[in-house]
Amino acid sequence: MPITAALIGGGASLLGGLFGGSSARRAAEARAASEREAARLAAEEARFRPVGVTTRFGSSNFQFDPTTGRVSAANYSLDPALRGMQNRFLGLAETGLDQAAAAQGQFAPLQGAAQGLFNLGQQYMAESPAQAAEKYMLSKQNLLAPSRERQYSQLQTNLFNTGRGGLAVGGTGLRPGGGEGLRAANPEMEAYYNSIAQADAQIADQAIQAGQQQTLFGADLYRTGGNLGNQNYALQAAALGPYQAYLQAATGLENLGQQPFQMGSDLGRNIANTTGAQATYAGGQNAARSQFAANAYNPYADFITGFSKNPALMNLFSGGPQPLGGNNY
């Protein structure tokens, strides 16, 4: 049975493809392994590597997992002398807190006084300035009434004893406009009533001022009560001062002990070389790509595939015409 050119070419092409596919698979596996190794090296280069640090105030302690090499625990220790000071500060802080709790009872009278001033101010401001003025004027007139009555009685007695009780002078007739003129009056009685009217006018003026002053006084009572209330709260807040100072001192010592921990962490971050990790990973990828091209090349696959596509060779196997200049035997 003659071997045809198509059969030979197909078989050669298939064999070349098998060789080429096998080489490509091995090359891809090798490239993937190379890239994984590059990624592993890059991760190792960028890994956080804290450093144990010891200072006068304390020391840091980082523990690593023996299998993975990663940080598994991190802590720090405060210097024993500072730890003793911190315990004393915390004891004082507890005492200061007790003092602050007792301050509320100590300054309670201030709050009571403030409330009393509020109540008193409310009483003074319950009346309007006009009502307070009227009350003031009535009070003054009631106070002057007995002396005025005595003056009136003495005046009447003096007029009767001197026979001038019915004396009336100063009367005038009709005015040019037709209005009634002044009535005749006893000069001493007129002087008496004029003095009373003048005194009442002065009292009325004083009453207006007294009404205003009463309202202002009530407002001052409110203001003073508010100041006392603020003082009460301010003193209670100030009573927390010792507690806050002792607690702040204890916290400050703790911060000193944390310094080695922070320093070790900072050193670990600085040691982690992210730039080098990126360069390592990029270089590994480039190397994997170059190696992939080399591993994927198979000279046998290329030869067989080329053979299947060569017309001269195919004619040779199929008995077809040979190229000119060939040897005939």
Side-chain angles (χ1 to χ4, degrees):
M1 181 181 211
I3 299 176
T4 65
L7 181 61
I8 295 174
S13 178
L14 177 61
L15 184 61
L18 290 175
F19 277 116
S22 177
S23 297
R25 180 180 60 81
R26 289 193 299 271
E29 291 174 351
R31 177 177 180 176
S34 298
E35 289 186 346
R36 284 195 295 270
E37 179 64 14
R40 186 190 68 79
L41 294 174
E44 183 65 26
E45 187 70 17
R47 177 174 294 180
F48 173 61
R49 296 182 177 87
V51 178
V53 175
T54 300
T55 67
R56 174 63 181 83
F57 306 109
S59 59
S60 62
N61 180 23
F62 297 93
Q63 300 177 13
F64 300 87
D65 187 282
T67 303
T68 63
R70 299 179 181 274
V71 177
S72 60
N75 54 65
Y76 64 92
S77 300
L78 191 63
D79 181 80
L82 267 68
R83 179 68 68 184
M85 296 180 190
Q86 188 183 53
N87 291 335
R88 292 180 62 185
F89 278 128
L90 291 176
L92 291 172
E94 186 174 357
T95 303
L97 189 59
D98 293 337
Q99 294 174 350
Q104 185 174 7
Q106 293 174 353
F107 301 127
L110 282 177
Q111 189 63 32
Q115 188 60 50
L117 288 173
F118 285 146
N119 295 336
L120 187 59
Q122 186 177 11
Q123 294 176 14
Y124 273 93
M125 297 188 69
E127 296 178 336
S128 67
Q131 290 173 334
E134 183 179 358
K135 184 177 179 180
Y136 175 88
M137 188 167 183
L138 182 61
S139 174
K140 286 292 185 179
Q141 287 178 338
N142 288 334
L143 183 63
L144 293 174
S147 62
R148 288 178 175 180
E149 290 176 359
R150 283 193 298 269
Q151 290 176 359
Y152 179 78
S153 177
Q154 291 173 359
L155 179 58
Q156 290 285 71
T157 301
N158 186 35
L159 290 175
F160 177 78
N161 290 337
T162 58
R164 292 179 290 114
L167 177 64
V169 296
T172 60
L174 295 176
R175 295 181 180 177
E180 186 178 359
L182 295 175
R183 294 180 180 273
N186 186 292
E188 292 179 84
M189 291 295 294
E190 186 175 12
Y192 167 75
Y193 284 115
N194 285 339
S195 65
I196 291 177
Q198 185 177 4
D200 285 345
Q202 293 176 350
I203 293 173
D205 184 60
Q206 294 171 358
I208 294 175
Q209 297 179 7
Q212 295 172 348
Q213 290 173 356
Q214 177 172 313
T215 301
L216 292 175
F217 182 65
D220 285 339
L221 291 175
Y222 271 115
R223 188 178 300 108
T224 304
N227 290 337
L228 284 179
N230 290 336
Q231 269 190 327
N232 174 36
Y233 296 126
L235 289 173
Q236 290 188 45
L240 282 171
Y243 164 75
Q244 293 172 338
Y246 297 140
L247 186 61
Q248 185 177 5
T251 305
L253 292 177
E254 192 71 18
N255 291 335
L256 290 176
Q258 290 176 354
Q259 286 182 359
F261 180 84
Q262 187 62 45
M263 293 168 62
S265 299
D266 293 342
L267 284 172
R269 281 188 289 271
N270 292 333
I271 291 174
N273 186 1
T274 57
T275 302
Q278 293 174 354
T280 300
Y281 182 63
Q285 283 188 318
N286 292 333
R289 283 192 291 269
S290 300
Q291 188 63 37
F292 174 78
N295 292 338
Y297 175 70
N298 189 325
Y300 298 106
D302 290 347
F303 170 77
I304 294 174
T305 302
F307 170 79
S308 67
K309 297 178 181 180
N310 191 318
L313 293 177
M314 290 298 98
N315 290 331
L316 177 64
F317 282 96
S318 61
Q322 303 296 316
L324 294 177
N327 296 323
N328 294 321
Y329 298 96

